[in-house]
Amino acid sequence: MSLAVGSSGTATAGRRSIYMNAGGGMSSSPYTVETESGESYEGISEDLLFELIGELSYPDNSFLTVESRGSGDQWYVVVTLDSDDRLEVEYRNPEKNEHRVVPGGTASRIASDVTIWVSSVVPH
């Protein structure tokens, strides 16, 4: 796979973005995205989440996880596709005593909601 790196430091392979630091290595993003099939990304974008959610398939690649890197605040989001092709999102942030499950939704709505939620829990 070839990557094109723009002036913003973002390497792009198709629509997927992998954030690079100025030295050319992977960034130290405070969170990662990993699919059940083993794809892993540092940082997220709404477009990337939309694409990854669209690639979910039951039973072999039925979920993706967005989570904090390292120790400390162990927040996470899991997007799951069930055997009836229904999506469900689980949000967990122990620091704020938040744990909720949201059934249903479209890939675009979930990608937007997860991006907004993650930006609200990640310190800037």
Side-chain angles (χ1 to χ4, degrees):
M1 164 173 46
S2 64
L3 298 175
V5 179
S7 61
S8 66
T10 302
T12 304
R15 287 182 35 200
R16 297 186 181 183
S17 296
I18 302 168
Y19 294 94
M20 309 282 283
N21 66 23
M26 296 304 289
S27 76
S28 57
S29 173
Y31 46 89
T32 61
V33 180
E34 188 169 337
T35 66
E36 180 180 13
S37 63
E39 292 183 53
S40 185
Y41 305 88
E42 288 194 18
I44 62 169
S45 70
E46 189 173 331
D47 287 342
L48 173 62
L49 283 175
F50 175 78
E51 188 172 323
L52 292 175
I53 292 166
E55 292 174 359
L56 293 178
S57 62
Y58 185 85
D60 296 326
N61 187 35
S62 61
F63 67 88
L64 65 85
T65 305
V66 181
E67 61 188 337
S68 173
R69 291 180 52 140
S71 61
D73 54 79
Q74 294 300 312
W75 60 263
Y76 64 84
V77 178
V78 178
V79 180
T80 306
L81 180 71
D82 69 15
S83 61
D84 293 325
D85 285 335
R86 290 181 299 214
L87 292 165
E88 178 179 275
V89 185
E90 177 185 7
Y91 298 89
R92 179 140 175 88
N93 184 357
E95 192 173 277
K96 295 185 177 180
N97 202 26
E98 177 182 11
H99 185 219
R100 62 187 166 105
V101 177
V102 180
T106 64
S108 62
R109 183 73 214 178
I110 291 170
S112 175
D113 290 349
V114 169
T115 302
I116 291 166
W117 188 85
V118 168
S119 68
S120 76
V121 297
V122 173
H124 298 348

